[in-house]
Amino acid sequence: MDVGAAPRVQRKAVALLSGGLDSLLAARMMLDQGIHVEGINFFTGFCVEGHTHAVRKDRQRRVVRNNALHAASQLGIRLHIVDVIEEYKDIVLNPRHGYGAHLNPCLDCKGFMVGKAREWMETHGFDFIVTGEVLGQRPKSQRRDTFPVIARESGAFDRLLRPLSAQLLAPTLPEREGWVDRERLLKLSGRNRKPQIGMARAQGLDYAQPAGGCCFLTDANYARKLRDLWESRGDRRYDFDDIMLLKIGRHIRPRPHFKLIIGREEGENRFLEGYRHRFIHLFAADANGPIALLQGEAADEDLMLAAAITARFGQARHAESVRMTIVRPGADAQQRMVPPWPVDRFPREWYL
Amino acid sequence: MPHLDARHLLCPMPVIRVSEQLRDLAAGTVLTVACTDPGALYDIPAWCRLEGHEVMESRVEPSGEIVIVIKVHA
Ligand code: SF4
């Protein structure tokens, strides 16, 4: 026995876990090399995390769960979910590297998240950061020329390890120091996900397959609604409730100065009811139908129009007139009889 | 007994609020959490398991409200 040898220090890595397959595999590879791994996940408010499923009653039969947490559970590692809603605004509103196809500031976002992980690593005495990035997989952020940008702008530099593509990249500190064995890392590149799917299957790992991307900012409809919100306010800003409400209901803008958010089913109506104290809201007094929140300014004739539109989505849509309840926050409810807006003459351009 | 109102918060905010609150509580303290997001029924116990906290009870009230009782680990 080598009496003089110092005990081998177990190195610690913080792994960005999105809940998707790549980050799950990257963390798994580190565990397999004897690294102590803890997961970190950032909640920006735009994450696709089953919110619409959680809200919509008709979809509740699906298993609702947080994907990153599910990944951590399978790996048996701790997961730190961090609320970055406030700080993230600057990334969405002022991305240095611009947007992707929609309002997704992917390169800035990656730099921000790795930067937050770097801060966490330093505070908690960890040694390096692991991500599931794959060279060439995403056109904007996962390229040979953007990988160094993320490493530099996050301040992580060579403490940032991408195990899935590591053999195609310059050796990082954990590899050079022998904390991890570079030979056991991979050289995946491109958009083909078959190798990852095969690895997951071989290891019996279950993972989420978000369609399109990890956040709503990559979604064309969502981005259109967010742009509309900014235009209507004449100001590019948002708060948490704004971005949550963009995920829920039908959004209809019949006039430049106001829009309606109309529940599509019971779960959404219940969710929208939670905002009654903040917005003018409308619903049918004597018939089944949705609740509508009115965002913006509304004079009396606007309220009549809003009531007619809301009535059009209720059960009494074919009635001659419907009694609608209209409530301004802090004021008494008023009731008005209105003819529902004719179903066959509903202007398509009102839909956001 | 400490109580956390996480009603009307959607995933993963209930877990974030629970983790923030537990950070300040002494071992053995029992925290009762109320939520409305059905995902919390899976997520909060899953998170507690990874952290070593004990979930003493989780139930759904007739109103649909979810109640989870957690004992902070030593
Ligand atoms: S898709 Fe969204 S969360 Fe993912 S990197 Fe792009 S902006 Fe960030």
Side-chain angles (χ1 to χ4, degrees), chain A residues 78-142:
Chain A
R78 296 181 74 188
L79 176 68
H80 308 279
I81 306 180
V82 186
D83 165 357
V84 292
I85 296 164
E86 275 307 310
E87 289 170 84
Y88 194 72
K89 285 180 181 173
D90 192 44
I91 304 299
V92 178
L93 298 175
N94 309 302
R96 260 191 283 176
H97 300 287
Y99 297 109
H102 300 291
L103 280 174
N104 45 314
C106 291
L107 187 49
D108 291 77
C109 173
K110 284 270 161 59
F112 168 79
M113 288 189 183
V114 176
K116 295 299 290 179
R118 195 237 337 128
E119 284 171 20
W120 192 96
M121 168 187 82
E122 288 167 358
T123 311
H124 294 83
F126 275 49
D127 300 295
F128 62 103
I129 301 160
V130 171
T131 70
E133 290 164 293
V134 172
L135 199 60
Q137 189 175 85
R138 296 267 167 89
K140 183 90 183 166
S141 58
Q142 301 192 10

Side-chain angles (χ1 to χ4, degrees), chain A residues 53-73:
Chain A
H53 293 304
V55 170
R56 294 190 69 169
K57 207 161 186 255
D58 56 359
R59 296 191 190 165
Q60 276 184 21
R61 240 164 288 152
R62 288 180 55 139
V63 180
V64 184
R65 65 180 184 209
N66 177 281
N67 293 326
L69 198 47
H70 185 61
S73 294

Side-chain angles (χ1 to χ4, degrees), chain A residues 43 51 54 66 69-70 78, chain B residues 11-12 37 42-43 47 50-51:
Chain A
F43 181 57
H51 282 172
N66 177 281
L69 198 47
H70 185 61
R78 296 181 74 188
Chain B
C11 159
D37 181 347
Y42 174 93
D43 291 343
W47 181 84
L50 295 172
E51 293 293 313

